[in-house]
Amino acid sequence: MTLLDTIHTPADLRQLDGRQLKQLADEVRAFLLDSVSHTGGHLSSNLGAVELTVALHYVYDTPADRIVWDVGHQTYAHKILTGRKDAMAGLRRGGGIAGFPRREESEYDAFGTGHSSTSISAALGMAEAFRQNGSEHRAIAVIGDGAMTAGMAFEALNNAGATELPLLVVLNDNDMSISPPVGALNNYLARLMSGQFYAKAKKAGDAMLSRMPPIRELAKRAEEHMKGMLVPGTLFEEMGFNYIGPIDGHDLDVLVETLRNIRKLDGPQFLHVVTKKGKGYEPAEANPCLYHGVTPFDTEAGIAEKTGGKPSYTQIFGDWLCDMAAQDQRLLGITPAMREGSGLVKFSEQYPERYFDVGIAEQHALTFAAGLACEGEKPVVAIYSTFLQRAYDQLIHDIALQNLDVTLAIDRAGPVGADGATHAGSFDLSFLRCVPNMVIAAPSDENECRRLLTTAFLHDGPAAVRYPRGGGPGAALDAGLEPLPMGKSVTRREGRKIAFLAFGTVLAECLKAAEELDATVVDMRFVKPLDVARILELARTHELLVTAEENAVMGGAGSAVSECLAAHNALVRVLHCGLPDRFLEQDTQENQRLLGGLDASSLVAKARKALSE
């Protein structure tokens, strides 16, 4: 039996001798690597957070003390140590545990995450609730260096620094290296500055010098100058935090002693921890991006770079972006920290001066694009549907209200599979189509995606093209960059009685269903502007209109069709097929589509039932 086999909860972990923690961390890392190699998931970030996770649960009284993990990409060790070790075999699968923290899943998951930079705000709220209730429990926010690029994190820091709450913010910095001598010095300083003697001496000095403001200010500046020479914490000190670090995030002795000291301190504390992505697995250490999110793989052979095969919609977009950039010097590509995921690697290499990664800052990305458009540039913002939600005000106020020429390439629209509810692109059609001045296109295959991207780019105003995760049916691609007519649909099959109005890649299933029903199929292409003339014609010549979309039924493309029919007093039965009014839990994309009855057999059954009624 391994040491890990004896750990069922963090209470078991806290019974260990401190000298056993390294062995436990090694066993957790080995188990994590083996488990993820079978299930897939986020690997390199989780390998880098093992010792930090062990130390936090060892020092803090979880779950009474709350640990809020930012994003959640680094919580697999946390799940393993909090009673979910055996459940890791079902990670990110239908009916299994989620790849991110979920309050419904465990009392140790203090806050559900999946989107970036929310941890400090949530942990601050918990710390204040503890104060209100007279509780001595602690709240800890664990945030990665990438998540610190978002404005929300600094809004929370600004708020927290003005309080006396004993909030701990742990910055898990995995993009910085510290040479051994500097690392050792900082480890020593961290233990010194987190200790009671330093804290009490500082407090006493403040009290004494408060009677002599000029000298107090001089002492404060001298302290900050000395610390600033050794550590990069002046910014956080200015925001009201006691900055400690940076320390080696893989040295359990230093981590445990520093955290124990911090737990005794009052007021906001900021601990800077340096870790290495992929720690303990050489291929992941060498290429953390490749091993960030993985499908099942052989740990001995590692992961080979993907080459050839049918291109995904993301690749279609990336190739189109480079082709269009060659024709129009005004095209600028923007991503909020999703270069690889959004297909901008080739563009960033071919056009480095026209490529902008603004960090995890979706709001800034859109307003930055708006500023570019004001000066005659033609920005293209590549963004996931789920992350566009975070910049809704900027979309409305800074882009659409001013009718600025910004193109949105919306990836991961519709079901996304194993990433589940936090990343599903279920709502973009609903929240986009109510915004004035917007053009919204939903391509049905790869070539249509390429041509609609051109249409959106050439449109003088805000336009969005949404496409799903993964590949399409394998349509042949045009060599050129020909646009499609704005707001015009195309009939893919002529039939009778029933007409399918397909928005996006559900077209393929609609065509299969239509063969069995002898139905008409129209590839709508545009959600806004709608092809009103074609909709009214279908209403006159068919008994039932079936709308199909990979978006929430409520407020989606189908709703737009019903609004159109009502506005023109057109009487015809309408059936809306789309995603149900609930969040999509992790599963395969195919199973998630089944929930909305978007497969051919479900479409046939629903259409027959609606027609008979």
Side-chain angles (χ1 to χ4, degrees):
M1 176 181 285
T2 66
L3 187 59
L4 178 58
D5 290 331
T6 68
I7 306 299
H8 305 292
T9 69
D12 299 326
L13 166 63
R14 290 189 282 272
Q15 297 303 311
L16 298 180
D17 184 285
R19 291 168 293 184
Q20 296 175 286
L21 296 184
K22 185 181 185 305
Q23 177 186 342
L24 178 64
D26 290 342
E27 291 179 7
V28 169
R29 181 171 281 111
F31 177 85
L32 195 159
L33 176 60
D34 179 69
S35 178
V36 175
S37 74
H38 288 92
T39 63
H42 293 97
L43 183 61
S44 51
S45 55
N46 279 290
L47 290 174
V50 171
E51 285 83 5
L52 176 59
T53 305
V54 170
L56 284 168
H57 280 296
Y58 189 66
V59 172
Y60 285 89
D61 183 23
T62 55
D65 289 334
R66 314 294 196 200
I67 303 176
V68 180
W69 301 89
D70 210 283
V71 184
H73 286 166
Q74 72 279 43
T75 54
Y76 293 1
H78 162 77
K79 288 176 182 276
I80 292 167
L81 293 171
T82 54
R84 287 168 279 181
K85 174 174 169 284
D86 293 339
M88 287 292 289
L91 179 75
R92 292 162 48 91
R93 296 179 179 177
I97 61 173
F100 304 97
R102 290 192 62 198
R103 283 171 55 83
E104 301 89 342
E105 189 177 290
S106 171
E107 63 179 333
Y108 293 93
D109 290 358
F111 196 75
T113 54
H115 287 188
S116 164
S117 315
T118 61
S119 61
I120 304 175
S121 298
L124 178 61
M126 293 171 187
E128 175 58 31
F130 290 150
R131 187 188 72 81
Q132 293 282 340
N133 298 328
S135 170
E136 295 296 320
H137 294 308
R138 294 293 197 255
I140 306 101
V142 183
I143 185 168
D145 51 356
M148 284 297 294
T149 62
M152 185 176 177
F154 283 91
E155 291 173 18
L157 286 171
N158 182 59
N159 186 189
T163 74
E164 293 298 323
L165 296 171
L167 171 72
L168 170 59
V169 175
V170 179
L171 173 60
N172 181 18
D173 179 353
N174 51 34
D175 195 33
M176 173 182 173
S177 60
I178 301 177
S179 61
V182 177
L185 176 60
N186 277 294
N187 288 341
Y188 170 74
L189 287 173
R191 282 183 272 189
L192 175 67
M193 290 188 293
S194 65
Q196 288 290 302
F197 176 79
Y198 176 84
K200 289 178 180 177
K202 182 177 179 181
K203 187 174 182 179
D206 279 346
M208 181 182 69
L209 294 175
S210 64
R211 303 182 188 126
M212 298 173 283
I215 299 177
R216 182 190 186 196
E217 181 63 23
L218 178 63
K220 182 171 183 284
R221 289 182 180 276
E223 178 195 33
E224 289 176 351
H225 178 69
M226 290 302 296
K227 289 173 74 174
M229 290 171 60
L230 300 167
V231 295
T234 305
L235 170 64
F236 304 108
E237 292 274 1
E238 290 291 341
M239 297 185 81
F241 281 77
N242 177 40
Y243 174 91
I244 300 163
I247 65 172
D248 183 351
H250 301 296
D251 188 326
L252 275 161
D253 292 337
V254 170
L255 279 169
V256 168
E257 184 176 351
T258 303
L259 288 170
R260 278 177 171 164
N261 288 338
I262 289 173
R263 201 182 188 288
K264 301 171 187 174
L265 299 179
D266 295 324
Q269 308 294 322
F270 192 100
L271 175 61
H272 185 169
V273 173
V274 178
T275 60
K276 186 175 183 61
K277 279 187 175 181
K279 175 71 174 179
Y281 182 53
E282 189 173 339
E285 289 187 21
N287 194 344
C289 284
L290 179 63
Y291 285 85
H292 171 69
V294 301
T295 54
F297 69 101
D298 185 324
T299 56
E300 294 296 323
I303 299 174
E305 297 273 6
K306 291 183 179 179
T307 57
K310 185 172 65 174
S312 66
Y313 281 100
T314 301
Q315 291 171 285
I316 296 295
F317 163 72
D319 292 340
W320 169 85
L321 192 67
C322 291
D323 294 343
M324 184 56 75
Q327 289 197 8
D328 194 328
Q329 293 292 321
R330 298 172 299 163
L331 185 152
L332 303 174
I334 302 169
T335 175
M338 295 300 295
R339 185 183 75 147
E340 289 79 12
S342 291
L344 272 73
V345 173
K346 186 165 73 168
F347 178 81
S348 69
E349 294 168 350
Q350 292 186 8
Y351 300 97
E353 297 301 316
R354 295 157 66 183
Y355 164 74
F356 301 92
D357 183 344
V358 300
I360 303 178
E362 294 87 356
Q363 294 170 297
H364 166 61
L366 264 64
T367 304
F368 173 55
L372 291 168
C374 283
E375 301 305 319
E377 304 294 345
K378 288 183 69 68
V380 177
V381 181
I383 190 167
Y384 287 11
S385 171
T386 186
F387 299 141
L388 181 58
Q389 296 164 185
R390 295 162 63 92
Y392 194 47
D393 179 62
Q394 288 67 31
L395 172 69
I396 296 173
H397 184 272
D398 299 339
I399 294 176
L401 180 62
Q402 303 182 89
N403 200 29
L404 292 174
D405 191 1
V406 176
T407 300
L408 301 175
I410 305 176
D411 203 334
R412 269 63 165 183
V416 295
D419 281 338
T422 59
H423 284 58
S426 305
F427 313 112
D428 55 85
L429 292 185
S430 300
F431 69 68
L432 285 174
R433 75 175 192 84
C434 63
V435 179
N437 294 330
M438 283 298 304
V439 166
I440 310 165
S444 62
D445 61 34
E446 298 93 332
N447 194 51
E448 198 167 270
C449 183
R450 181 176 171 87
R451 295 188 68 182
L452 284 173
L453 283 164
T454 301
T455 307
F457 182 76
L458 296 179
H459 172 67
D460 187 14
V465 180
R466 57 112 63 178
Y467 43 90
R469 181 177 193 167
L477 299 176
D478 293 343
L481 291 166
E482 287 297 315
L484 290 170
M486 178 65 71
K488 295 298 180 183
S489 62
V490 59
T491 300
R492 298 296 187 184
R493 187 187 191 281
E494 291 284 4
R496 60 190 185 86
K497 288 189 178 182
I498 301 171
F500 287 96
L501 285 69
F503 292 89
T505 53
V506 290
L507 175 69
E509 294 300 310
C510 289
L511 287 169
K512 293 177 187 176
E515 287 297 320
E516 187 169 341
L517 296 168
D518 189 21
T520 297
V521 180
V522 177
D523 178 0
M524 293 301 295
R525 289 180 171 168
F526 291 88
V527 179
K528 187 176 184 180
L530 281 172
D531 191 343
V532 174
R534 186 66 175 123
I535 292 171
L536 296 179
E537 178 189 349
L538 293 169
R540 288 192 299 269
T541 57
H542 293 73
E543 297 178 29
L544 173 68
L545 304 187
V546 181
T547 66
E549 61 189 299
E550 288 190 0
N551 187 83
V553 169
M554 299 178 71
S559 295
V561 171
S562 286
E563 291 164 14
C564 170
L565 293 168
H568 291 84
N569 297 313
L571 297 178
V572 64
R573 278 177 287 185
V574 183
L575 170 64
H576 298 313
C577 298
L579 302 180
D581 184 26
R582 68 175 190 256
F583 292 106
L584 300 179
E585 302 301 341
Q586 73 272 2
D587 206 331
T588 64
Q589 285 177 282
E590 292 72 22
N591 285 341
Q592 290 170 337
R593 290 177 180 120
L594 286 173
L595 289 174
L598 295 174
D599 59 299
S601 60
S602 296
L603 290 170
V604 168
K606 293 168 94 172
R608 280 180 171 155
K609 184 174 185 293
L611 194 62
S612 67
E613 293 173 347

